[in-house]
Amino acid sequence: MAILLISPGREVEWLKGLHAIDSTLDIRVWPEVGNPNDIEFALLWRYPHGELLKYPNLKAISSLGAGVDHIMSDPNLPKNIPILRVIDKLLVRDMTQYIAMAVLQHVRQLDLYQEQQLQKKWLWHGFASDIKIGIMGMGELGSDAANKLYHLDFAVQGWSRTPKELVGIKTFYGAEGQVEFLKTTTILVNLLPLTPQTKNILNKKLFYQMPRGAYIINVARGGHVVDEDLIAAIDAGQLSGACLDVFREEPLPESHPFWGHPKIIVTPHIASVTNPKSVAEQLVLNYRNAIAGKPLMNIVDVSLGY
Ligand code: NDP
Ligand code: OXD
């Protein structure tokens, strides 16, 4: 009875967090796994695809983050084993704070003041006007960001797969709702999961369905963005810029044009990082329930991919 842990670079933090809940847990840190037959539960962040086929007694597979695209895209994912993910209040809080920062930095034109500071210039500028924040993906993260931004007095709207009702927030859903949603969104925040339906969704067609000068905040996945389309739309003035936390290839290669673009802000996938102390309890509970054959929390709908 053992847990497989794959989380390159963060193993020590995870071991500490999990052992603080139960010091007797037998956790095997990949690649020093020992007998693969012992493994009944897997905790994963960006693991090598195909690896899971080695463990015949796996009872459940859990992502160490909110996203499961790194698991769902494994062509050798064992069949009929529940896939779990993390839902956590700190993950939600940190994401909302990052989005608020990116929105405010854009609306209050902080980049202009930073440039001016270098020139010791004392000049006032207005705010970006007629702001309507549109959040794509109104799940655990998107709905909290929408609520908090509404309480900061922004006009906020949301788009999801199925209908939603949130006080003060206009909501749209499905392909029909997307057109109207985009037409009126001036700051677009992407919080969709990466699935076959949402891959490349931030593309030329979408950018040109938005009002001229719209701003993009992508905190979901790099695979949502067609990079060349984003740069072309910014250079053509259709978009005023972008704040990007996630990329197709991470770390973002040094040669990538996003790094040097004056209207693009790049952060290294830090919008919201899973905190082992905060989520260890739910992971251990899921492990215990998986081996006892009891119901599990935060199960992914494999048919939807999230
Ligand atoms: P949820 O599963 O809770 O929410 C996903 C939302 O997206 C739901 O509202 C869902 O609609 C909507 N959605 C899914 N597919 C479609 C579609 N085809 N069309 C329209 N809407 C769709 O996910 P979370 O909020 O927990 O996380 C979202 C993503 O954020 C993660 O998958 C991950 O990629 C990213 N993330 C990034 C982090 C970072 O640091 N940058 C940190 C954590 C997460 P419905 O409600 O109708 O089902
Ligand atoms: C996540 C992430 O999915 O950190 O949790 O991106």
Side-chain angles (χ1 to χ4, degrees):
M1 237 165 47
I3 299 175
L4 167 70
L5 172 66
I6 310 185
S7 179
R10 297 196 74 199
E11 296 91 341
V12 175
E13 277 177 85
W14 280 112
L15 282 173
K16 212 170 144 197
L18 293 160
H19 279 144
I21 302 294
D22 180 350
S23 59
T24 68
L25 290 174
D26 180 359
I27 304 172
R28 312 277 174 89
V29 179
W30 184 84
E32 307 302 327
V33 178
N35 184 351
N37 294 329
D38 297 343
I39 301 295
E40 293 193 272
F41 195 77
L43 293 173
L44 309 172
W45 187 247
R46 297 197 175 147
Y47 67 100
H49 285 175
E51 176 67 20
L52 297 176
L53 291 179
K54 296 180 189 160
Y55 308 101
N57 296 319
L58 259 185
K59 302 214 166 24
I61 297 165
S62 178
S63 173
L64 288 170
V68 289
D69 46 295
H70 63 118
I71 299 175
M72 300 309 299
S73 57
D74 183 347
N76 294 308
L77 189 62
K79 302 264 180 294
N80 304 321
I81 295 183
I83 313 288
L84 316 171
R85 72 186 192 109
V86 160
I87 297 179
D88 174 59
K89 61 180 190 318
L90 290 192
L91 204 61
V92 171
R93 179 200 69 186
D94 293 352
M95 180 57 83
T96 293
Q97 289 181 353
Y98 179 99
I99 293 167
M101 169 195 72
V103 165
L104 289 167
Q105 158 135 357
H106 172 66
V107 173
R108 303 298 296 260
Q109 308 203 67
L110 200 63
D111 53 337
L112 266 184
Y113 294 108
Q114 278 171 327
E115 264 173 46
Q116 279 187 196
Q117 183 177 347
L118 295 175
Q119 297 154 25
K120 301 186 175 154
K121 251 196 204 165
W122 187 274
L123 250 187
W124 288 15
H125 300 278
F127 299 173
S129 55
D130 298 326
I131 295 302
K132 188 165 277 181
I133 301 167
I135 301 192
M136 297 176 92
M138 293 291 283
E140 296 293 330
L141 303 178
S143 56
D144 186 74
N147 262 315
K148 303 277 162 58
L149 289 164
Y150 166 71
H151 283 105
L152 278 178
D153 239 350
F154 284 109
V156 183
Q157 54 191 15
W159 181 70
S160 47
R161 193 177 54 82
T162 58
K164 298 272 174 281
E165 267 185 45
L166 277 98
V167 175
I169 294 159
K170 194 165 177 188
T171 53
F172 301 85
Y173 67 97
E176 326 74 59
Q178 199 198 29
V179 178
E180 193 56 30
F181 166 81
L182 291 172
K183 213 164 44 174
T184 47
T185 289
T186 64
I187 299 180
L188 184 73
V189 179
N190 178 34
L191 268 172
L192 291 166
L194 184 63
T195 66
Q197 286 69 40
T198 65
K199 193 176 163 199
N200 296 331
I201 193 167
L202 298 179
N203 59 30
K204 180 176 177 181
K205 182 171 172 227
L206 178 143
F207 299 143
Y208 280 83
Q209 284 175 278
M210 298 178 67
R212 194 166 171 80
Y215 190 73
I216 305 293
I217 298 171
N218 186 27
V219 277
R221 286 291 180 263
H224 287 125
V225 184
V226 179
D227 294 0
E228 314 76 71
D229 288 4
L230 179 68
I231 290 177
I234 294 174
D235 290 346
Q238 171 58 22
L239 297 176
S240 53
C243 174
L244 308 175
D245 184 56
V246 285
F247 305 91
R248 280 177 186 267
E249 189 182 340
E250 296 182 3
L252 183 65
E254 273 183 32
S255 59
H256 199 289
F258 285 163
W259 280 117
H261 199 291
K263 293 191 172 158
I264 293 178
I265 296 174
V266 167
T267 57
H269 202 144
I270 46 78
S272 186
V273 177
T274 317
N275 180 328
K277 267 197 212 149
S278 182
V279 301
E281 196 174 342
Q282 62 175 273
L283 298 177
V284 173
L285 194 57
N286 259 343
Y287 164 61
R288 288 185 183 138
N289 286 342
I291 51 180
K294 291 188 181 162
L296 302 172
M297 289 179 294
N298 309 338
I299 299 186
V300 169
D301 182 335
V302 174
S303 67
L304 292 173
Y306 69 97

